[in-house]
Every structure is written in structure tokens, then in C-alpha cells.
Amino acid sequence: MGRRVKVLLLILTPFVVLFFSLSLGSTGYVGILDLAHYMWMGIQRLFGHELARATTDIETILWQVRLPRILLTFMVGAALAVSGGVLQAIFRNPIVDPFSLGISSGAAFGAALSMLIPFIPINLSAFLFGIVAVTITYFVSYAGARTSMITMVLAGMIITGVFTAFLTVLQYLSDPYKLQAIVQWTMGNLHTASWDKVQTTFIPIIGGLFAIATFRWKLNLLALGDQEAMAVGVNPRNIKFIIVGLATMITASAVASVGMISLFGLIVPHISRIFFGPNNQIGVFANMSIGGTFLLLIDDFSRAVMPFEIPVGVFTMILGAPLFIYLMRKNAVNWNA
Amino acid sequence: MKKLIQIHHLSFSFGKQQVLAELTADFYGEELTVILGRNGSGKSTLFNILSGMERHYKGEVLFADQNRKDIHAGKKNTLRIGFMTQFHQTTFPFTVFDVVLTGCAAFSRFAPRQVDFDLVEENLRAFQLWHLKDKPYTALSGGERQLVLLCRILVQQPNVLLLDEPTNHLDLHYQVAVMEHLKRLVQSGTTIVCVMHDPNLALLYGNRFYVMQDKKLHLLEEKDPVALLSTLEKTYHVALTNVQHDGRTLIIPKRKHL
């Protein structure tokens, strides 16, 4: 497949899948022609056209239930994938992701804390604890140029464990009603999506993704190592600090809105490297497109195939693990550890 | 030529073990200065200090009358200092072209420009590496990697080039090619400081020579064959004899068992 075809697919596939996802759901399948008709009505309504003002049930479901969920799912998928790709490049470690570095569990603890204590914004709290977690992981495992990949993942596991323990304490202390909310949300739930959630998530994720995209070339430099960056006159420390902060921000907002989705940020960057190579200039965009599309497909699967909904975090683990093992065995994952 | 790099009373220790003691030396601009010395004599430590990676030293290191610690990379008005270390590993299989292209990253903010692509091509062609441009860097041999890294340093067009054993993995063809290239760079105004292990290659191409011994740098009197031999014999603990070639003195170790 030529490079142009690949890039074209990268741009077009998300739109096709977004459209297709709108037609699926527990209320029933909406045909493509009907969907196009409803979309046309919706667009007319946006511009205040008289005839289109009447709303049917199916329209309400499309615009108030399915569309926000699809947009949220896509953003979350893109955020987790880009965050994973960025962290792998910066730490020069193909086995890290927001989850294995402790960011996800730190953010989950922060988000749960804000559910119990009023007046703390959920995004901010998730972000702060995500930053705390990744900073601890980094300093625990830091050993200069000799920083070992394995040590870093082990440190991340320990930090994840600690924050999961804190989260359990919160669950233990909270009343049954809040407990249920926290438990459901930690499993990774997309069905609570609403325009409100899209609104609170939109700015940090889209802003963060855009900011990371501007650093896409510098990521190649950082992926070669600190010394190699200094050798050509770039001080890696500040850029690393900014990029890890951005990656944590998008992960934290994703976690704050839909809970923990494990393994996703680890797998997608590997998939996009298989198709587009390790160059982050294209890799950042590939992660956005593949990450968003992939999570949307997984969610479609859980919405349409089963009569009841399975939390998406459970699904990514069940679908992701065999895929990852397959890639690892095939040695298509491409790393020299 | 003026003194571009000045080192005054430089001392450095790893814990209790002193590596450099009151080292004083001057390296001149637009020259190829070579530092020779035994393994573990502190050459790489000095190199790390010059390159700015090691900052916990006593004494003064000046580049063009500016303290080394005050020279921050990435600013356009300061001296551009490029350096190449001995050891390098990479995790991801970037292509050779992408690796060399990162050498331009200090100056283009977000994405490489056409000038950068041209510079990469020019440098890869200069070392006959253009055919490798789409190969993964991780699949290259040690010598090829070393050349690619050298190209990567050169695309930023540094004023000062610091090299730690730039020829140690190279075959004779590339050793000569690299040294000739360095010589051309010096002629066009670059200042080069090079740590080397092969005294003859150094003597053939260098302008000024230092020997690292007893935690200090000693200037090598390369014009006087007797002084040259005695200094190098003391440094390397090997009996030597000399050969005159093209107005330069080269050295050959004496065999003990004939």
C-alpha cells in the first residue's frame, strides 16, 4: 500500500466509522438513507429552518444520546493513544503507557476524590494526581542514561498499586450511592456520555492534542535520548516537562470523564508504528485517527452485539490482550529492549 | 588564531576518586586539537565537561570568553556546540534520514524546512551514505551508525565540534574519509576538539596535540621527534620508534619478541 493511500485512509476512516456508529444502538438500527435524512434535518434545524423543527424520538436519541457518546468515545480513544505514543517516545520505552506509569490510577483517585468532596473540579483534581503519580514513578526509577525500561514499569506498577489502594479507601469511606457511581465509573463507562461531558472534556483534550501535535518532530529527537538532544543543541528537560504535562492532561480528562480504560494507550501506538513506522511526525496523527476509530469500534461492538452493555474498560482488556500477545509473538512490535 | 576554549584550574572527582586535578589548557579556534591518552585517564570526563553534560566541576571553562555553564543550547546568537559521544543506543527503528534530520531540531521550531532536508542529503552524500537513507538506524553496523551520528551533528553546522573517538568503529577507508572531512571543516572555520586513540591518525591530521596524564593535559611537542617519543612512551608505557613522513613524525611500537 502506497504512503498516500495510507494517509488518505487515516483521514477518511474516522468519518466513515463515526457515521456508521450513529446508526447503531440498543434502540435499533437506523438505515443510512434515514440517517442522512435526519442529519439533513438536524443541520436545517441548526440554522433555524421552520419545517425541520419537529422532533421525533429517533432524532432525540441520535442527537442527545448517540452523537455525544460517539464524540466522547472518539476523543477519549485519541487522547489515550496519543498519550501512550508520546510517553513511549519520551521515555524511550515501548512498554509504557498512561496506565503502566501510574497516570491513570492517579487520575482515577483524583477524580473519585472530587466526586466525594464538592467544589473540586474533576478535571483539575484528576490532572494533579496524574502528575503526582507520573512524577513519583519517574523519580523512583530514574538512573540517568541507565534508566531501565523494566524498572520504570515496575515503579509504575507500584505507584498504580498505591493509588488503587487509596481509591479503595475512598470507596470504603463513601456512602453506598456514591460507591456505586465510583465503581461503575472506574470500570470505564461510556454510556454516561452527555453533551455536558463532551463540553468539559472537549477543551483539555482537543487543546492538548493540538499542542502535542506541534511538538511532533521534537518527539523524534527526544526519542533518541537526552544526550543526543543536547548534542545538537536542544535542552531536553523543558520540552520533556511540557510534553509529559500535556500527555497527563489529556489522559486525566479522559479518565475523569469515562473512567479507566486499560491497555488501550499501550496497544494503539504499536499498531500505528506497524503501519506508519516510528516517525512521530506522522505517528501523532496516526494515533489520533487509529485510537479514536478503534475505541469507537469497540464501543459499537459492546452496544450492538450484546443485549446488555459491558463496560468498555473490560472490553479493551479482553480484546486488547490477545491482539498484543499476537503482535509480540510475531515480533511485529519492533523494539530493541 | 585566538584561544577559543580556555580551561583554568579544572578539577573533578567521582565521589572520593579525583579524575581531573587543576587542569589548565587552551584550545585554539579554527584548529583540530587532539587529546590522546590511556583508557580511563579522564579524557571522557573532560569531554563531558566541555560538552556541557557534566556541570559539577571546580574551576573555569570558557568558550569564546563565555562560561560554559552560561551557554544555553538553542539560542541563535550563541556559539553552536555540537558533540558526539561514544555510546549510543536507540529504542525505535527510525530511518537513517529521520535520525540525521533531528540534528536540525534546535533551529526549526515545529517541523523541518526544505533547507533542513537539503542539508541532510548533502551530508549523507558526503559520506556516501545516501543509499542507506530509508534503512532503519537499528539495522546498521557499528561503523555506519557512527557515521550517521556524525552526519547528524554536522547538519546543525556547529562552530565548535567535540568528538569522542569519532573513528573507533570505522574501517581504514572511513577513518581517512572522516579525518579528511574534519580537516575541510577546520579550513572553513570550524573548531574541532577530538579525543582519539590512534596517535598516528591524530598526528597525520591534527594541528595541536595534548596528552592526558596524571589528571592533567600536557601539550605534546610534535615538532621534536625525541620529545614526542619520550612523552608518548611515558604515556602508553610502550617502547616506540619513529618514522618521518611528509614532515611529520609518526610512531611505531617496538616489538619485544623478535
Side-chain angles (χ1 to χ4, degrees):
Chain A
M1 216 178 350
R3 193 174 171 77
R4 274 187 190 188
V5 181
K6 281 193 203 170
V7 172
L8 200 69
L9 280 177
L10 203 62
I11 299 166
L12 291 181
T13 316
F15 289 103
V16 175
V17 176
L18 278 169
F19 192 75
F20 167 74
S21 304
L22 262 183
S23 67
L24 287 178
S26 49
T27 327
Y29 178 76
V30 180
I32 287 176
L33 284 176
D34 289 339
L35 195 60
H37 169 72
Y38 289 130
M39 284 184 109
W40 177 237
M41 299 267 282
I43 291 165
Q44 281 183 316
R45 193 139 38 86
L46 272 183
F47 293 101
H49 200 284
E50 283 291 328
L51 280 174
R53 197 148 283 167
T55 4
T56 58
D57 286 350
I58 190 77
E59 266 190 298
T60 312
I61 287 169
L62 279 180
W63 305 134
Q64 298 304 322
V65 180
R66 290 187 187 174
L67 189 60
R69 177 173 183 158
I70 284 163
L71 292 178
L72 190 70
T73 307
F74 192 88
M75 283 196 297
V76 165
L80 292 176
V82 168
S83 173
V86 159
L87 295 169
Q88 288 174 6
I90 282 200
F91 294 119
R92 288 182 294 144
N93 188 340
I95 47 178
V96 303
D97 76 333
F99 193 76
S100 67
L101 288 176
I103 298 177
S104 297
S105 51
F109 171 75
L113 195 66
S114 82
M115 285 182 191
L116 294 181
I117 304 168
F119 311 120
I120 305 177
I122 186 163
N123 273 325
L124 184 70
S125 176
F127 171 70
L128 285 180
F129 283 98
I131 280 282
V132 168
V134 72
T135 311
I136 299 175
T137 303
Y138 184 68
F139 282 107
V140 166
S141 60
Y142 183 78
R146 294 180 306 279
T147 305
S148 142
M149 295 179 183
I150 307 295
T151 318
M152 183 170 272
V153 174
L154 287 179
M157 274 171 63
I158 294 164
I159 302 305
T160 301
V162 169
F163 277 104
T164 310
F166 287 163
L167 185 62
T168 312
V169 172
L170 284 188
Q171 291 173 351
Y172 188 74
L173 293 178
S174 56
D175 61 70
Y177 175 71
K178 278 179 178 164
L179 174 68
Q180 197 193 7
I182 294 175
V183 169
Q184 282 219 351
W185 161 86
T186 37
M187 285 190 289
N189 266 300
L190 291 166
H191 74 247
T192 54
S194 61
W195 282 115
D196 278 352
K197 274 199 174 176
V198 173
Q199 242 168 12
T200 50
T201 316
F202 180 79
I203 291 170
I205 288 189
I206 300 297
L209 289 176
F210 184 78
I212 286 173
T214 61
F215 285 105
R216 61 193 182 278
W217 185 41
K218 293 277 202 281
L219 282 170
N220 283 358
L221 179 72
L222 295 172
L224 292 179
D226 288 4
Q227 233 178 46
E228 301 312 315
M230 288 173 76
V232 294
V234 175
N235 185 353
R237 215 167 12 150
N238 300 342
I239 311 176
K240 267 170 104 167
F241 193 73
I242 296 170
I243 298 180
V244 172
L246 289 170
T248 306
M249 182 177 83
I250 57 176
T251 306
S253 352
V255 170
S257 64
V258 302
M260 283 208 263
I261 298 177
S262 43
L263 268 186
F264 196 75
L266 179 71
I267 294 165
V268 175
H270 284 285
I271 296 173
S272 66
R273 268 200 291 275
I274 289 167
F275 290 116
F276 296 95
N279 188 347
N280 292 295
Q281 283 185 274
I282 182 95
V284 169
F285 297 115
N287 280 332
M288 283 183 203
S289 168
I290 297 174
T293 311
F294 193 34
L295 193 64
L296 207 49
L297 285 174
I298 293 175
D299 188 46
D300 285 347
F301 192 70
S302 82
R303 281 193 300 152
V305 175
M306 303 283 170
F308 52 91
E309 274 195 29
I310 295 175
V312 72
V314 177
F315 243 114
T316 53
M317 199 71 168
I318 292 170
L319 285 180
L323 179 69
F324 191 69
I325 291 165
Y326 167 75
L327 292 175
M328 215 160 59
R329 300 297 299 182
K330 230 186 118 202
N331 202 16
V333 176
N334 275 331
W335 72 61
N336 297 10
Chain B
M1 278 310 131
K2 76 184 221 311
K3 294 171 183 174
L4 192 83
I5 304 174
Q6 293 168 287
I7 308 171
H8 300 306
H9 309 290
L10 175 66
S11 297
F12 181 83
S13 311
F14 277 120
K16 281 183 181 161
Q17 192 199 351
Q18 190 157 43
V19 185
L20 304 173
E22 292 284 315
L23 184 153
T24 295
D26 298 318
F27 302 146
Y28 287 77
E30 300 180 30
E31 278 193 2
L32 172 54
T33 305
V34 179
I35 299 172
L36 295 164
R38 295 283 303 275
N39 290 331
S41 60
K43 299 190 301 288
S44 291
T45 304
L46 176 64
F47 180 87
N48 289 344
I49 290 171
L50 290 176
S51 61
M53 289 189 293
E54 183 57 69
R55 299 163 67 89
H56 303 285
Y57 55 83
K58 291 197 189 87
E60 207 176 28
V61 178
L62 301 175
F63 277 61
D65 301 323
Q66 230 186 329
N67 203 320
R68 179 66 184 93
K69 289 178 186 171
D70 298 333
I71 300 178
H72 296 291
K75 297 216 176 83
K76 280 202 171 151
N77 49 359
T78 54
L79 217 54
R80 288 187 211 180
I81 304 167
F83 64 88
M84 187 170 98
T85 52
Q86 287 180 56
F87 306 104
H88 180 248
Q89 284 184 320
T90 168
T91 313
F92 300 104
F94 287 112
T95 64
V96 166
F97 193 93
D98 285 337
V99 168
V100 178
L101 191 61
T102 60
C104 309
F107 307 105
S108 328
R109 285 271 328 138
F110 297 123
R113 301 156 301 173
Q114 190 54 44
V115 200
D116 300 326
F117 290 117
D118 295 344
L119 266 172
V120 172
E121 178 168 354
E122 188 186 305
N123 275 283
L124 281 174
R125 284 194 191 283
F127 289 98
Q128 301 144 43
L129 295 171
W130 184 242
H131 64 285
L132 295 177
K133 72 181 167 72
D134 294 322
K135 270 205 167 179
Y137 173 80
T138 41
L140 302 184
S141 73
E144 287 168 333
R145 286 186 192 199
Q146 202 164 16
L147 286 168
V148 168
L149 286 187
L150 184 62
C151 287
R152 178 171 175 271
I153 308 306
L154 292 178
V155 291
Q156 64 162 335
Q157 299 172 303
N159 310 109
V160 180
L161 195 54
L162 307 168
L163 305 168
D164 196 356
E165 296 182 36
T167 55
N168 64 343
H169 287 124
L170 304 180
D171 64 24
L172 189 60
H173 173 84
Y174 273 124
Q175 288 183 7
V176 173
V178 166
M179 294 315 289
E180 293 282 346
H181 196 89
L182 295 184
K183 206 71 211 172
R184 276 197 296 278
L185 288 173
V186 166
Q187 275 157 13
S188 58
T190 314
T191 305
I192 303 180
V193 179
C194 214
V195 173
M196 289 182 76
H197 269 309
D198 183 345
N200 286 329
L201 202 59
L203 288 165
L204 273 175
Y205 289 98
N207 298 103
R208 204 175 292 261
F209 310 87
Y210 282 94
V211 176
M212 180 73 90
Q213 201 181 7
D214 306 325
K215 298 161 191 166
K216 284 185 174 62
L217 279 183
H218 305 275
L219 190 67
L220 192 64
E221 302 289 340
E222 88 280 5
K223 297 277 190 285
D224 177 358
V226 182
L228 177 76
L229 272 195
S230 78
T231 313
L232 289 180
E233 279 183 335
K234 260 186 262 162
T235 310
Y236 291 108
H237 299 286
V238 180
L240 297 170
T241 182
N242 73 71
V243 178
Q244 293 301 318
H245 168 74
D246 220 4
R248 284 168 184 265
T249 308
L250 302 180
I251 58 161
I252 299 175
K254 282 183 190 161
R255 279 177 61 174
K256 280 182 186 161
H257 307 286
L258 288 171

